[in-house]
Amino acid sequence: VVQMIDNGKDTLKEPFTHSVHCLVDVPDCYNSHFEVLTAPTTTNTENTMYTRGYRLTETSKQLVMELARSVGSCSTCVNGYDSSKLQDGFRAVLNATVLELSTDDGDDGASSGPPLIMVHNQAYPEPSDTDPCQTVFGLTEGTVMFNNPKATIDDEKSDSTTDSGARISLSSSSGLVGLLLVLGLYMI
């Protein structure tokens, strides 16, 4: 059980209680890897756990932290501590590319974690929006927009551009997945 620093609650049971302050102000939190959680997929009330869905690259984490600071209430937020701004339960709508799948680290079978993604576009959805991916990007959550197992992202130049504007370059030696996804989930 992983507990949140700010309130001691189980991260995978109550991500909506994770404060913006903790996410972007507390060094133990913002210096850790950021992950996107996926919502419980069952209506069974006994299984209400979120799951670790994706890991963010360091650059993606910085983008998400900037977004959180623009809508949140915290010491490093754009509006400082402001009770009219988001206090906890930060979530974002992301357009991202899967860079690598989780892999076994060795003989013990330990996983390196969820798939690593690079964010291209992000937005803060209205809290009342029941389908933020549709509202922001015009797509259903989890939509695969591009699939080439030999694709990698090239931040400096592009060989081609997808409909979403993501820059893709092809490499025959790449083991990266190249799935372009749309997600709307909580960050931890």
Side-chain angles (χ1 to χ4, degrees):
V1 174
V2 176
Q3 296 178 320
M4 289 177 262
I5 296 168
D6 57 343
N7 60 29
K9 295 182 179 178
D10 185 333
T11 302
L12 298 179
K13 284 187 179 178
E14 301 180 70
F16 42 85
T17 65
H18 193 193
S19 71
V20 174
H21 162 72
C22 183
L23 192 66
V24 299
D25 283 347
V26 177
D28 283 349
C29 198
Y30 71 71
N31 285 328
S32 67
H33 296 288
F34 274 28
E35 293 188 1
V36 179
L37 299 182
T38 57
T41 56
T42 179
T43 56
N44 180 347
T45 56
E46 291 179 24
N47 184 13
T48 57
M49 298 283 283
Y50 286 74
T51 56
R52 297 169 61 205
Y54 303 91
R55 293 175 293 141
L56 298 181
T57 64
E58 186 61 30
T59 301
S60 298
K61 178 176 106 171
Q62 295 305 317
L63 291 172
V64 167
M65 287 176 60
E66 286 176 29
L67 180 61
R69 287 181 174 127
S70 73
V71 300
S73 174
C74 67
S75 67
T76 59
C77 287
V78 172
N79 296 300
Y81 283 105
D82 181 340
S83 61
S84 70
K85 300 295 182 185
L86 183 69
Q87 306 287 317
D88 49 34
F90 174 74
R91 63 184 190 139
V93 181
L94 307 174
N95 178 309
T97 300
V98 177
L99 297 181
E100 64 184 45
L101 297 176
S102 60
T103 58
D104 289 343
D105 289 336
D107 294 335
D108 63 357
S111 175
S112 61
L116 182 68
I117 61 172
M118 179 169 44
V119 174
H120 305 290
N121 299 300
Q122 70 280 343
Y124 175 70
E126 290 298 321
S128 60
D129 194 341
T130 57
D131 194 355
C133 294
Q134 184 65 43
T135 302
V136 175
F137 294 119
L139 296 165
T140 303
E141 183 175 320
T143 298
V144 175
M145 298 169 58
F146 176 83
N147 183 0
N148 184 331
K150 296 182 180 182
T152 61
I153 297 301
D154 181 349
D155 285 328
E156 302 301 321
K157 61 181 182 175
S158 65
D159 294 334
S160 64
T161 304
T162 66
D163 292 339
S164 68
R167 295 176 301 261
I168 306 297
S169 65
L170 302 178
S171 166
S172 61
S173 64
S174 173
L176 304 180
V177 213
L179 295 177
L180 190 60
L181 301 172
V182 176
L183 309 165
L185 307 155
Y186 289 105
M187 302 291 143
I188 60 162

